[in-house]
Amino acid sequence: MSAGPARALAYPLLVTGGTLAVVAAWVPFADIDQLSALAVVALAVLVYTAYQLGLAFGVFPTGLVAAGTVGGRRVRQQYRLVSRSWLEISSGGRAVWQPVFYDPALSVLTPTDLTVTGRSIAEGTTRFYPSGRVRTGEPAGKLVDNPSRASEPPAYGIPRRLILDIQPAIGAPLVGLLWVYVMNGGVGAFVAATTVAAATFTWLSAIRGSDPS
């Protein structure tokens, strides 16, 4: 049985809080230009997180198929450094793909009937929370048909998920160098820009619904 949003959304919200904490930690050491940049980053994190939560809870429409019972299966997308869970839904003779926040129940989900209510998708007592809008075309990259089907849903800890989500942060030093070049900062400015960029890249992976399986 699903524990609801606490299980699916706890990790991305935790990473969001961590990112805002990294931004706030540099505020006492920032000059006016750096404060402005930190404020822009914090605002962007808050706005996009609110948008993703709106999609998850049905505040914003995601373009779901018509309400009713439809066939579907879970696939995991691997595209460059991106790994996400999708529900491939068959309805009216066509297939659509709905990205969802990772829930351990997805790892043991076999092709089954899904209940669509217009703003949410459920299988039995488990509700899946959208992490983006529906696609009518197959997502880019490699799609793996439910790579793990254990008898019990696997548990992936925060360290494993962070290791996966931090991969895009490899580009953070380039952001730090660019900031120093444009703003004529020193070592401190480079370290600050690099850590904020790394935290932001990690957050972006998490809040878009990364898949640790």
Side-chain angles (χ1 to χ4, degrees):
M1 179 178 295
S2 174
R7 184 160 71 172
L9 302 177
Y11 169 74
L13 291 180
L14 179 64
V15 176
T16 299
T19 302
L20 293 174
V22 170
V23 172
W26 286 108
V27 168
F29 309 100
D31 59 25
I32 187 63
D33 291 328
Q34 293 165 346
L35 280 175
S36 298
L38 292 174
V40 169
V41 172
L43 181 61
V45 169
L46 289 171
V47 169
Y48 191 65
T49 298
Y51 173 73
Q52 287 295 93
L53 291 178
L55 290 176
F57 289 105
V59 177
F60 307 127
T62 63
L64 290 172
V65 294
T69 301
V70 295
R73 62 172 184 147
R74 176 259 184 157
V75 293
R76 179 171 62 82
Q77 174 198 26
Q78 187 64 52
Y79 180 61
R80 297 175 182 171
L81 297 179
V82 175
S83 179
R84 302 179 75 184
S85 277
W86 296 74
L87 292 176
E88 184 181 279
I89 301 171
S90 301
S91 177
R94 66 189 181 99
V96 297
W97 287 264
Q98 170 68 69
V100 291
F101 285 100
Y102 179 76
D103 186 298
L106 288 167
S107 293
V108 295
L109 184 69
T110 56
T112 185
D113 288 335
L114 301 171
T115 302
V116 179
T117 63
R119 290 183 180 268
S120 66
I121 307 174
E123 189 277 324
T125 59
T126 302
R127 177 181 173 184
F128 301 113
Y129 294 85
S131 62
R133 296 187 177 278
V134 161
R135 291 178 57 113
T136 55
E138 186 175 287
K142 181 181 180 181
L143 299 183
V144 182
D145 182 5
N146 225 0
S148 61
R149 291 179 175 173
S151 58
E152 293 293 333
Y156 297 110
I158 291 176
R160 173 189 170 92
R161 301 193 70 170
L162 282 176
I163 289 173
L164 293 173
D165 288 341
I166 205 172
Q167 294 181 69
I170 192 173
L174 296 179
V175 176
L177 289 173
L178 180 62
W179 177 263
V180 170
Y181 175 77
V182 173
M183 304 304 296
N184 296 318
V187 174
F190 170 76
V191 173
T194 299
T195 54
V196 170
T200 304
F201 289 148
T202 304
W203 158 80
L204 188 58
S205 295
I207 202 63
R208 294 182 69 241
S210 60
D211 186 332
S213 65

